[in-house]
Amino acid sequence: MIVTDSIQQQSTAVGGDSVVATYRQLTPAQVLKWLPRDATPAQQDSIIQAHFKPGEIHWSDRPDTLHLPGHDRGHNMLDVDIPQYYREGFFSKDTLFHPELQGGRNGIAGDPVPYTVHADNLMTGLLLLCFIMIVVAFSSVKDFLLHQFKSFFYFSRDVSSEISETAVEFRFQFFLVMLASLLISLLFYFYTLYYIGETYILRSPYYLILIYWGIIMGYYLLKAMLYTIVNLVLFDSKRNKQWMRSFLFISSVEGILMFPIMMINGYFDISVASASVYVLVVLTIIKILTFYKCFIIFFSRNVVKLQIILYFCALEIVPLLFVWSILNATANMLKINF
């Protein structure tokens, strides 16, 4: 027996004319016996690494026959091409388990239900609230309104003889101006849905109505400021006071005239074109009344009568065109373009 430094032990036998060599794999215990008894763990690990080298693992290529009778052979876990029922389950495509998947719909999508006011609970409640407030307020100041209507076409040179508004009457007229702004904003909102677009970048369509309402309220405030500044420069304070009362009354009448078309448009499905015609007729009547009152108060005693055209165009027509362009620009900027 000859012990070499390899990991094998060789035994050679000579018998006659033949030589037979046998090799036997050493075990780690046999290799560790070569070391002295007081060998450290580091020395033991070193001699093990020197005599034993990790080799390549060769998996068996033979078919697996160890399966139950009547069943297919088992599947190798290293095989990625496994059947679909191993990879998918009953809830594998459910959107509740996979938020990244978009939920579809069964069948063919139908036409969406068009927007109507009577199907909108918030809008219906708002209109009913406005109607109740108008009825309650009108019952309180109806005598004042009748007196204002009778004296509208009568010009009094004595300002002190006119009846001044109380606080309740002034608040009622201011409420009618706000109501007119709200109704005009609602009508323009329906106009934008029909002629400009139905989708906007806002979270709710009520935000668009609020934006329109703010713009139209700014329009009325701008007109009141312009009238005050111009009339204080060109005319005396008495006629300016008469005009501001008339302006507030005309704006209140505009709010009352706008309310019926809003109710009819909401509950009787009138077309937007017919509602637009009604609004144009109301605006024309209001502008004619405004022109008449301006002429009676400021220009009835002037020699040059054509000054009222410049006055009226600068303080009525130009602001109206300006607010119309702002409303259209706002709708086009907020619209979603596909």
Side-chain angles (χ1 to χ4, degrees):
M1 295 295 294
I2 300 175
V3 180
T4 61
D5 293 336
S6 64
I7 63 174
Q8 295 179 348
Q9 186 175 6
Q10 183 178 359
S11 175
T12 305
V14 180
D17 295 333
S18 63
V19 177
V20 179
T22 60
Y23 296 90
R24 184 169 59 87
Q25 182 72 30
L26 295 176
T27 61
Q30 294 174 350
V31 175
L32 292 176
K33 287 181 179 180
W34 299 345
L35 296 175
R37 293 182 180 275
D38 57 349
T40 60
Q43 293 174 347
Q44 295 176 1
D45 182 70
S46 177
I47 194 172
I48 291 295
Q49 292 184 6
H51 288 81
F52 295 95
K53 301 295 183 182
E56 184 179 358
I57 299 176
H58 297 281
W59 300 100
S60 177
D61 296 331
R62 295 181 181 181
D64 184 14
T65 58
L66 298 177
H67 57 270
L68 295 177
H71 293 270
D72 296 336
R73 64 183 181 88
H75 296 277
N76 188 4
M77 296 302 296
L78 299 178
D79 186 10
V80 296
D81 189 14
I82 58 178
Q84 186 176 2
Y85 59 81
Y86 276 92
R87 291 182 279 111
E88 295 184 358
F90 183 78
F91 298 103
S92 59
K93 292 185 178 180
D94 194 349
T95 56
L96 297 178
F97 287 85
H98 298 278
E100 70 276 3
L101 299 178
Q102 295 182 356
R105 62 176 66 184
N106 297 325
I108 301 174
D111 295 332
V113 179
Y115 176 80
T116 54
V117 178
H118 59 268
D120 193 341
N121 296 329
L122 181 61
M123 201 66 64
T124 302
L126 182 62
L127 291 177
L128 290 177
L129 180 62
C130 293
F131 177 74
I132 293 172
M133 292 181 68
I134 287 177
V135 172
V136 173
F138 185 78
S139 63
S140 301
V141 294
K142 60 181 179 180
D143 296 334
F144 170 75
L145 289 179
L146 291 175
H147 176 75
Q148 286 280 70
F149 181 76
K150 291 178 181 179
S151 62
F152 183 80
F153 298 97
Y154 172 74
F155 175 68
S156 178
R157 298 181 182 274
D158 188 8
V159 182
S160 60
S161 63
E162 295 184 357
I163 301 176
S164 59
E165 298 91 342
T166 62
V168 177
E169 295 166 349
F170 178 78
R171 286 196 298 267
F172 171 69
Q173 289 183 327
F174 185 73
F175 165 73
L176 289 180
V177 174
M178 295 180 62
L179 178 63
S181 304
L182 178 61
L183 296 177
I184 293 173
S185 63
L186 290 174
L187 292 172
F188 190 81
Y189 171 71
F190 297 144
Y191 170 83
T192 56
L193 292 181
Y194 188 79
Y195 289 104
I196 298 179
E198 297 181 357
T199 55
Y200 295 88
I201 61 176
L202 301 175
R203 296 182 180 179
S204 174
Y206 304 121
Y207 293 157
L208 186 62
I209 297 173
L210 289 177
I211 292 173
Y212 290 161
W213 190 19
I215 293 174
I216 297 173
M217 284 295 296
Y219 161 72
Y220 279 108
L221 292 177
L222 178 63
K223 278 179 56 177
M225 291 175 58
L226 291 176
Y227 273 120
T228 302
I229 294 172
V230 173
N231 293 339
L232 288 177
V233 173
L234 299 178
F235 308 104
D236 55 6
S237 60
K238 294 181 180 180
R239 285 187 286 180
N240 189 17
K241 186 181 297 184
Q242 285 181 337
W243 166 246
M244 291 308 297
R245 291 176 179 172
S246 300
F247 173 74
L248 191 60
F249 176 73
I250 291 173
S251 300
S252 302
V253 172
E254 186 176 5
I256 295 175
L257 294 178
M258 286 294 180
F259 189 75
I261 188 59
M262 190 62 215
M263 299 295 290
I264 294 173
N265 187 26
Y267 296 99
F268 294 96
D269 295 331
I270 190 174
S271 62
V272 179
S274 301
S276 302
V277 172
Y278 178 87
V279 172
L280 290 177
V281 171
V282 170
L283 289 177
T284 303
I285 294 174
I286 293 299
K287 297 307 175 186
I288 291 174
L289 293 177
T290 305
F291 184 85
Y292 167 77
K293 203 62 179 179
C294 287
F295 180 79
I296 292 298
I297 295 176
F298 299 118
F299 298 95
S300 60
R301 293 177 293 178
N302 291 350
V303 179
V304 183
K305 305 296 183 181
L306 295 179
Q307 291 179 351
I308 189 174
I309 298 177
L310 298 176
Y311 178 85
F312 186 78
C313 291
L315 298 180
E316 283 291 334
I317 304 301
V318 173
L320 183 62
L321 296 177
F322 180 69
V323 73
W324 176 263
S325 61
I326 289 179
L327 290 173
N328 278 283
T330 303
N332 289 319
M333 285 189 297
L334 298 177
K335 182 182 66 173
I336 298 177
N337 298 316
F338 294 98

